[in-house]
Structures are given as structure tokens and as C-alpha cells.
Amino acid sequence: MAKQPKRTQKWTGDRTAAHGVEDAVKLVKANANAKFDETIEIAVNLGVDPRHADQQVRGVVSLPSGTGRDVRVAVIAKEAKAAEAQAAGADVVGAEDLVERIQGGFMDFDRVIATPDMMALVGRLGKVLGPRGLMPNPRVGTVTPNVAQAVKDAKGGAIEFRTEKTGIIHAGIGKASFTEDQLLANVRALVDALNRAKPSGAKGTYIKKISLSSTMGPGFKVDAGSLGA
């Protein structure tokens, strides 16, 4: 039998049982022993089939404790709206010139925000931004005339969530250096947002499974009932 790496030999906690969310957060933090500040991630298995339009789950939520990441924001806007975006802290702002840079391979950003009047230009970027989940969309607040607020939200801890083909939501909800209370607040905010986004076509159990893990650590099951799910 292959010898386990020293890192995995140090893992503690029961990975088969479902834990209350407070205990799960403690276990994830205790096992985040990498030499860098690991991201704490959540996976939520929803009872939906995203192949059907009335069962897709997508939205945005502002995490009360932030994400612990420096989110790089690109804004596609012009004139006064471009100036507002720059004043709000956007990392890169432009109109036709920015669209051309992105088409040419520039991808030094984590979020793209656009004003409604720029969507004809943004449409050219569907094949580039779409597969990366970066295409601006009014449903998640990334197509908006209020670019300044959108930039502040993105910088302040707003994250997008979207079901994958298998009905699972993956999201980073903080860092291992966060306190337990900070992580708990973020977990609850995301689960609350998922409950609010429950599609009309969802039947049976909506939130089926929840697990928490860190970048290099093991995953722990969360009792959905401990989150009121």
C-alpha cells in the first residue's frame, strides 16, 4: 500500500459523518495546515436539473466577512460611467479598446462589469468570457448603469454562484485565517441566498448535501438541518 503523505497523516476528524455547521467549520480550519492561507470552499448539491430552464440556479450574494481575495475588476463603460468606475476602484476600465484587448488575450481580471449601452460590444466576447463564467449578466448585477456600486460590491465580497451541469454549486467563502464566526456568517449568507434563489421547477429535497473543505485539506459533510436547510 502506498504510504500516505505526511500532510494527510495529520488530518483529524470524521469525514464520513455529517457535522453541525459550527463543528464542520472548526474541523476544516484545524486541517488547513498548508504553508499558505488556504481558501475555504463550500460545495452544495442541489436537487435540480440545470438542463431545464426552470431549474437553473444563479445569483449573487455579498459575503458579510468578505472573501479574503483581492478581486480584480474590469469595467466596460465610456465617458462619465468610465470615470465613476475608476473612482470606485476598478482595476481596468475601457470601451472598444478594452474589448479589443480582451479579444487579443488580455485576461488580468476576476470580474467583468458593463453598462447596458455597451452590451452590443460585450456580445463579441461571449466565446472568450462565457466559458470562464465571466460574461456580464444583468441577473447577477454585472450589467448595470450603477457601475460604481457594482465595483464596490465586487471588491467588498460579492460572489456569483451558478449550478454546474450536475446541480452542484461551488464557491470560495473565505480563508483559513478567518475566524470561525466570519466563516459561519459567510456560509449562512450563501445558503440563505441559495434558498431565496430556489427555482419554481425544483421538486423534492432542494438542498441535498453540503460539504466544506480547504484548498489542500479534506472535505467534511455538513448537516443541512444545522443551517435550516
Side-chain angles (χ1 to χ4, degrees):
M1 181 181 292
K3 186 177 180 181
Q4 287 185 317
K6 290 183 179 179
R7 176 174 53 81
T8 62
Q9 290 176 13
K10 295 179 180 178
W11 286 349
T12 60
D14 188 342
R15 284 176 270 161
T16 60
H19 303 274
V21 63
E22 292 89 353
D23 290 337
V25 167
K26 288 179 181 178
L27 286 167
V28 169
K29 276 181 60 68
N31 285 279
N33 297 315
K35 294 181 180 179
F36 61 93
D37 194 7
E38 298 181 54
T39 296
I40 305 301
E41 301 171 348
I42 188 170
V44 184
N45 189 345
L46 299 177
V48 299
D49 185 348
R51 293 176 297 178
H52 301 289
D54 65 346
Q55 294 189 48
Q56 294 178 1
V57 180
R58 185 175 185 180
V60 63
V61 59
S62 292
L63 300 180
S65 307
T67 63
R69 293 181 59 220
D70 181 17
V71 179
R72 299 164 299 172
V73 179
V75 176
I76 301 174
K78 59 184 179 181
E79 300 172 349
K81 293 300 180 182
E84 290 177 19
Q86 288 180 323
D91 297 274
V92 57
V93 180
E96 292 89 346
D97 58 327
L98 180 53
V99 170
E100 290 176 1
R101 288 178 66 192
I102 294 172
Q103 287 178 313
F106 174 73
M107 293 296 296
D108 192 18
F109 46 77
D110 305 299
R111 185 77 55 87
V112 183
I113 297 166
T115 52
D117 61 308
M118 300 301 292
M119 288 310 294
L121 275 175
V122 174
R124 302 177 192 171
L125 302 175
K127 292 183 179 180
V128 179
L129 299 180
R132 295 174 170 83
L134 293 172
M135 192 67 178
N137 189 306
R139 289 178 58 188
V140 295
T142 48
V143 176
T144 174
N146 192 355
V147 291
Q149 187 60 52
V151 170
K152 291 176 183 176
D153 289 345
K155 291 283 190 179
I159 63 168
E160 295 181 35
F161 57 83
R162 182 179 186 178
T163 43
E164 300 175 357
K165 292 180 180 179
T166 53
I168 296 176
I169 295 279
H170 280 108
I173 48 90
K175 294 289 185 177
S177 58
F178 281 23
T179 66
E180 291 176 13
D181 286 343
Q182 287 175 318
L183 291 171
L184 285 168
N186 283 355
V187 170
R188 291 187 171 114
L190 177 60
V191 173
D192 286 347
L194 292 177
N195 278 320
R196 291 194 300 272
K198 182 179 179 179
S200 59
K203 306 298 181 184
T205 302
Y206 176 53
I207 295 183
K208 299 172 70 175
K209 297 178 182 178
I210 303 174
S211 65
L212 292 174
S213 63
S214 61
T215 305
M216 302 294 291
F220 292 95
K221 299 175 183 178
V222 179
D223 178 5
S226 66
L227 285 163

